[in-house]
Amino acid sequence: MFKIFSNDPVHDPIKKQGSTTEIKKTTCYMCACRCGIRAHLRDGELVYIDGNPEHPLNQGVICAKGASGIMKQKSPARITQPLLRKAGSNRGDGEFEAISWDSAFEILTKRLSHIRATDPKKFALFTGRDQMQALTGLFARQFGTPNYAAHGGFCSVNMAAGMIYTIGGSFWEFGGPDLDQAKLFVMIGTAEDHHSNPMKISLSKFKRAGGRFISINPVRTGYSAIADEWIPIKPGTDGALFMALMHELIRLEKYDAPFLKRFSNSAQLVCMDSGAEEGLFLYDPDSDPINLDLPHNKYIWDKQTQSAQPCFKQGASPVLLGEYTMGPGPHQGKKVVPAFELLKRQVSETTPEWASAITSISAERIRKLALEIADTAFGQEFELPISWTDSWGEKHDSVTGRPVAFHAMRGLSAHSNGFQTTRGLAVLMSLLGTIDRPGGFRHKAPYPRQVPPNAKPPSSENDIKPNTPLAKPPLGWPTQPEDLALDSQGNPLRIDKAYSWEHPLAAHGLMHNVITNAVKGDPYSIDTLMIFMANMSWNSTMNTMEVREHLNAKNADGEFKIPFLVVCDAFQSEMVDFADLVLPDTTYLERHDVMSMLDRPISEFDGPADSVRIPVLEPLGECKPFQEVLIELASRLKFPAFTTPEGERKFKDYPDFITRFQTAPDSGIGFLGGWRGKDGEKPLKGEPNPNQWQKYAENNCVHQFHMPPEHQYMRNWNKGYLDFSKENALRQKNDPIMIAIYSDILQRFRLAATGKRPGAQPPAHLKDRIYKYFDPLPFWYPPLEDEVTDLSKFTLNAITQRPMAMYHSWDSQNAWLRQIHSHNYLYVNTATALTHGIADGAWMWIESQWGKVKCMARHSEAVDPGTVWTWNAIGKAESAWSLSDNADESKKGFLLNHLISEKLTLGGFTVSNSDPITGQAGWYDVRVRLAPAGDDELQETWPQVKAYEVPGMSLKKEAGK
Ligand code: SF4
């Protein structure tokens, strides 16, 4: 049994002195930040991991998790062989027999080929925090199932979609704060888990250079602990703060009018007449649309001629305010206003006083913050002598710096109002003119992309056919109701109801609803669910106990409601027990992997960059990388992209696939951009290079392409950059990417709800919902859960975040990291705790309307009095992750998920507890109350759940000797 205080070391770093040593470079995967690392081996055994000083991302910096990767290799929770659930046993009982990989592939091939030949959507593939979505998405598309997504729908899709539908880029992998040139940094709703080491390096330099750092967050931990000022805010109210800041900036006329007129749709004319064009931009039928998907041929109102003119007419003077009537021409007599006028009206009532009552930040502080960001953006403006040419041919001698940078993450995103909140932030940043400018927000390739990118999801039964790849990628970006994934009867095409009228812009799917929907047969039943690296019976699901029952639910005939459940994971998580078939994955140190330009690369502001993992160790036991599993299955199932014209297997293995796969015949674009061309002489685009992996191995596992300075800024409208991005397939077109202050895409859905727009319309019960939330301008509304909660009883907000030293649920089997966190507390403001009679360190109950959990309290001054919080995913089921039966993780640690429902009944119908626009899980919307535990109560967390060992966990025996 694995015991933390055992005298028997799990690993002895001082043995075998004097033996041969070796250093191998690869990429960390102890969290998703993808730092470069060096694995130090002695006689082939991993003895030490440090940061790679030559890696551009982390420059040698390593965190506690990264250095502890060595103990992941030694984890007693490693699964080492394929396992098949014993016939007649129940899911969750851990009753397995070992089988060979050949048998596992035979079982899968037989089952999946039948599904593919009959009804491909009966196969669903959902993955957790993996970094290979370009491959898993390709697999799903080639299979022909729309039922595919990664974890984004329960992570931060609101952050991605809210930004991408506004500015064509987003935070973290795709963009971020330019702290090298910023003077003021405002961080909102961010814990310390995203962009971890790079953010720490940037913050350190920023603070040393005298920058001012303000953190807005209900909790002051992590990065916020070194902020110059912490502004506590009530969870789910950030949108109200942004509305008030916009109110102030517009009231004081402190916004970048030239930037807005030229680079956003602020000056473009919106039709105000009732009817099919209401709230939409008017188009000039006589001018070139440039981009047929999202045409640019709109109008502005020209101050000089007092008439509507094509929006990019040279010499025109567009206005931002006022109300006008279209003159002679195709739109004669129509009432129009510039989009900015509508924004001004939208924020006219959102005063600091209004926001103060919602956010708990004083009106005075909100006013001061508005002045502070405006004074920095405009008072400390600077010019960089970098010449560039815009999309309309105008040459500029410099780029203007507006040194206010923002950064935001899940604190904004994980609410049912997160999309509009994130839009609010993106519009606020745009008012300040800080988009892709020095000192503000800057993009990272492959972004910026069109608003939104042009991939569309399957939108009819005809897009899904037996033995045929999907006509469109499973995930995309709808721009109109006709893009929704609905059948001819209006029913959802996807098991998670993504892109249905319940969640029209669900760009990352809704993984959190898959199990519940599949068990209920709503919208239909499936046959096989394959889960990779996601703990869906524990910390990655809401309503944990009921979902665990769902996984074991049977029909009247005794068959499981989800007939076949495949789990691929490297460790014995709580989910593994429920599998019918377990596929043992490798660790990140035992496999090839790519951080691809087709997915989530590691690009920097100055150019595209991608990276790889190269194995430093042999796989343990019979572990096989999931990448290899997919290549093998794709070959056996004879997917067109994986099969030669003669019907033979095309790729030997995953490294061969990465080397030779091209997105289209002879496109020159593959998963990796480095050293392409047969001699490796071509960056980003070129024919496959058989020595590509070798080149990455020789170059710190990274390829960087440094763009010339004239391509590094203003990329939404930078002709040189846009030509480059099209040439290298970062975009399909090179037209300018206009900031959508006003979203006519949202308005199309709203019009559909009113019945004024021809074409697809929402069902009657969802019309009000679509109308309300698809406001083309940002707005704040209370989280949906408030509507069904007695706020006089459940007065507190409860949220979670990840600690700096652990990532997801992976790390509780890591002997070093669990010395930092073996259990979690509920952090309660001291005054709040005392009001409830809860002492520091005491056992207590936290209760929502959905459930209750017993835990231990910790008094804290670093949390807003109206909020309680805890670390996510530290609490475990008993015996899970190979921990001993009485480990702290299961006896003292707890999971807040028990208090959160995955569904809400609103207005008489039940929907997912998610953002009504994107389907983002509303993790942070739950309201709770507290009570002390009784003196006679058992001092152990509740509820208690048992997990079971699975066969083949050989290291456990060694560790527990
Ligand atoms: S920040 Fe993440 S990727 Fe970087 S060293 Fe730490 S765990 Fe590894």
Side-chain angles (χ1 to χ4, degrees), residues 458-461 481 483-493 499-501 760-761:
S459 54
S460 97
E461 298 99 319
D483 296 335
L484 295 181
L486 300 170
D487 67 16
S488 51
Q489 306 301 308
N491 300 312
L493 285 175
Y499 308 115
S500 71
W501 284 106
Q761 294 190 4

Side-chain angles (χ1 to χ4, degrees), residues 632-650:
E632 182 67 34
L633 278 175
S635 306
R636 289 181 183 232
L637 292 168
K638 297 197 181 297
F639 292 169
F642 293 78
T643 309
T644 65
E646 296 75 38
E648 299 300 314
R649 178 185 183 124
K650 203 166 178 180

Side-chain angles (χ1 to χ4, degrees), residues 178 180-183 380-389 395-403 436-442 605-606 708-715 718:
D178 178 9
D180 281 354
Q181 301 182 84
K183 302 279 188 236
Q380 300 194 49
E381 169 188 313
F382 60 92
E383 298 291 321
L384 293 185
I386 298 172
S387 59
W388 63 288
T389 302
K395 290 203 167 102
H396 303 260
D397 295 332
S398 62
V399 290
T400 303
R402 300 226 177 278
D436 213 36
R437 274 178 155 173
F441 169 88
R442 288 178 68 193
F605 298 143
D606 72 352
E710 58 267 29
H711 289 180
Q712 292 184 19
Y713 296 97
M714 303 296 281
R715 275 164 284 188
N718 182 324

Side-chain angles (χ1 to χ4, degrees), residues 255-278:
Y255 51 84
D256 191 338
F259 178 88
L260 293 171
K261 288 176 185 175
R262 176 57 114 172
F263 301 123
S264 80
N265 63 15
S266 298
Q268 295 174 359
L269 298 180
V270 178
C271 178
M272 300 302 284
D273 291 345
S274 180
E277 288 181 313
E278 181 181 331

Side-chain angles (χ1 to χ4, degrees), residues 877-946:
E878 181 186 309
S879 292
W881 301 89
S882 208
L883 296 166
S884 62
D885 292 352
N886 59 355
D888 280 357
E889 283 84 346
S890 59
K891 298 304 166 197
K892 294 181 182 171
F894 69 100
L895 204 61
L896 207 70
N897 305 41
H898 298 298
L899 305 183
I900 304 172
S901 175
E902 84 278 34
K903 51 194 181 298
L904 295 176
T905 300
L906 299 164
F909 57 93
T910 300
V911 286
S912 171
N913 178 12
S914 301
D915 191 299
I917 300 173
T918 60
Q920 155 89 53
W923 291 109
Y924 294 170
D925 290 348
V926 70
R927 305 290 294 240
V928 299
R929 63 185 175 191
L930 312 178
D935 291 340
D936 54 345
E937 290 191 55
L938 197 59
Q939 298 205 332
E940 142 180 317
T941 191
W942 188 93
Q944 283 287 315
V945 170
K946 175 105 178 119

